[in-house]
Amino acid sequence: MTPLLQGVRVVEVGAVVLGPLAAQILADLGADVIKVEPLSGDVARESHPQGASDGALFVNNNRNKRMLALDLKRSEGRAAFARLVATSDVMLHNMRIEAAERLGLGFEAISAINPRIVHCAAIGFGQRGRYRDRPAFDDIIQAASGLAGLAAQQGGEPQFIPTILADKVAALHIVYAVLAALVARANGREGAIGIEVPMFEAMASFVLNEHLAGATFADDGALGYPRVLAADRRPYRTADGWIAVLPYTGDQWRRFLDEVGRGEICEQAWFADPRVRQTRIDDLYAILAETLPQRSTADWVAALSACDVPCSEINMLEDLLTDPHLAEVGFFDVGQGFPEDIRRSLPQPVEFAGVSPVGNIAPGAVGEHSRMVLRECGHSEAEIDALVAAGVLREDTARRR
């Protein structure tokens, strides 16, 4: 944890990955993040594989938070939540708008409680468009945004990228939007700030960044970035495995072609002009496919690294666990205070000079900090006891060890 956002309180009403990952990043930066769960807990706690108590998906998206378990469907729960919102700087959720409004979590209701709040709704589709009420999951957004269709434009069939990319990309949009709003407030901007982060629009922007291409300038302009969509742009076989090689600049292509004994291509007129060379990218990639099977992966990595041509062996997931670079930077270090069954943790891949990090806090049990948080919001012990007795509040101090 890097204590840069100390003094900022964030209330997260999030589940699975989208909201929880964004809130975890803010927590990793030092914010006091209070995760409000239903009494049964975030459904990600049941994800596979299961640790001693919680699933891996929950563990990897909920460190450095305090856990409050509150029934927001009950009026007593909403009243307690309102007192928490009144003491907070940010409130974020990743519920469908209709459900959030029913629970009193919409911008109007929350800003009426706290007129200085930063309110962020992470949703599937922007509320000004016709898709606003559609349910959204990662596969749906990959399909709608054009991401799944890119493989078809390379000559194959549409396919999903096998990671929950849309959730994670949208989570990063949440983080910068919340930080921008906090800076604006610190600079004297008055009033609540409402933020809407729709997954569909976030991923459409992500996909079209390079692929908007000719449509940037003309209604009938061709879409697609040719180099990226080239059929032969892919991992290449070597004599004993697979490798990624990406000569990008003219100089890098020259060095690669010299290395494989095809330097005469550099003398061709089309090669000298980057715009013309791009139209022949399939010819160049075909040379990669023809020549790379002639040597081992290790030989290619050594040779191409020596002549400064970008390359990498193709890692499988298990290779990352033993990658020497990740080991040297302490990528999987858990730190102190985590349950024994958590062998690895995933850091934020950002380092700050001049700021001393402090230890991370393991994800807590459902309601582990309920009493502590409500006490800070001004509830008496008798009021807290009454909420527990009424089945509105859950407290569980039995953290896993």
Side-chain angles (χ1 to χ4, degrees), residues 94-118:
N94 64 301
M95 305 173 67
R96 292 172 71 172
I97 291 296
E98 182 180 346
E101 296 285 355
R102 284 199 304 269
L103 296 176
L105 304 182
F107 175 68
E108 297 298 332
I110 295 299
S111 60
I113 298 168
N114 184 341
R116 297 185 70 251
I117 198 81
V118 173

Side-chain angles (χ1 to χ4, degrees), residues 356-399:
S356 298
V358 296
N360 289 317
I361 301 170
V366 179
E368 179 171 332
H369 308 101
S370 291
R371 184 170 293 269
M372 176 194 304
V373 170
L374 293 193
R375 190 185 296 128
E376 291 174 1
C377 297
H379 288 78
S380 68
E381 295 298 328
E383 289 175 320
I384 297 172
D385 289 340
L387 290 172
V388 173
V392 175
L393 180 73
R394 174 176 173 180
E395 58 174 345
D396 184 350
T397 57
R399 171 181 282 194

Side-chain angles (χ1 to χ4, degrees), residues 15-291:
V16 193
V17 172
L18 176 55
L21 174 58
Q24 177 176 272
I25 295 172
L26 295 170
D28 287 347
L29 293 173
D32 175 21
V33 175
I34 298 169
K35 182 181 180 73
V36 180
E37 299 178 85
L39 303 190
S40 57
D42 184 340
V43 294
R45 288 183 182 271
E46 305 301 322
S47 65
H48 177 80
Q50 193 80 15
S53 178
D54 296 320
L57 194 64
F58 182 86
V59 169
N60 290 324
N61 289 285
N62 288 283
R63 66 170 170 264
N64 292 328
K65 304 177 184 180
R66 295 195 287 169
M67 304 296 175
L68 168 63
L70 197 60
D71 187 351
L72 296 179
K73 295 181 180 179
R74 301 269 297 274
S75 60
E76 306 98 310
R78 291 194 296 274
F81 182 79
R83 293 171 73 169
L84 172 61
V85 167
T87 70
S88 301
D89 302 286
V90 179
M91 186 239 144
L92 70 89
H93 73 79
N94 64 301
M95 305 173 67
R96 292 172 71 172
I97 291 296
E98 182 180 346
E101 296 285 355
R102 284 199 304 269
L103 296 176
L105 304 182
F107 175 68
E108 297 298 332
I110 295 299
S111 60
I113 298 168
N114 184 341
R116 297 185 70 251
I117 198 81
V118 173
H119 178 278
C120 181
I123 53 181
F125 300 88
Q127 293 300 290
R128 290 186 292 122
R130 66 183 62 194
Y131 303 155
R132 59 183 174 270
D133 296 325
R134 288 186 179 183
F137 294 89
D138 199 88
D139 290 358
I140 304 307
I141 300 300
Q142 287 200 33
S145 67
L147 182 65
L150 289 178
Q153 295 185 249
Q154 285 187 304
E157 296 181 345
Q159 59 182 298
F160 297 129
I161 305 299
T163 183
I164 48 176
L165 191 64
D167 282 79
K168 292 183 283 189
V169 168
L172 296 178
H173 283 279
I174 293 171
V175 173
Y176 80 69
V178 166
L179 293 178
L182 288 173
V183 169
R185 202 180 72 173
N187 287 338
R189 189 191 187 285
E190 297 182 357
I193 300 175
I195 301 167
E196 179 181 288
V197 179
M199 295 170 69
F200 175 50
E201 286 91 322
M203 282 304 297
S205 174
F206 182 90
V207 171
L208 288 172
N209 181 279
E210 75 275 29
H211 290 306
L212 190 60
T216 303
F217 306 107
D219 290 340
D220 59 352
L223 282 83
Y225 185 34
R227 184 190 69 78
V228 174
L229 292 177
D232 274 320
R233 176 190 174 259
R234 53 185 170 77
Y236 299 102
R237 284 193 178 275
T238 64
D240 62 353
W242 296 87
I243 193 171
V245 180
L246 180 57
Y248 188 75
T249 67
D251 286 342
Q252 289 168 351
W253 274 113
R254 287 186 185 90
R255 292 194 294 272
F256 172 78
L257 292 168
D258 285 341
E259 176 68 28
V260 299
R262 301 292 299 273
E264 77 281 358
I265 293 175
C266 303
E267 306 303 319
Q268 301 293 320
W270 61 265
F271 185 87
D273 187 333
R275 290 172 296 183
V276 180
R277 187 170 64 242
Q278 182 169 286
T279 67
R280 302 286 296 270
I281 195 67
D282 282 318
D283 296 332
L284 292 170
Y285 279 152
I287 296 172
L288 289 171
E290 292 168 8
T291 57

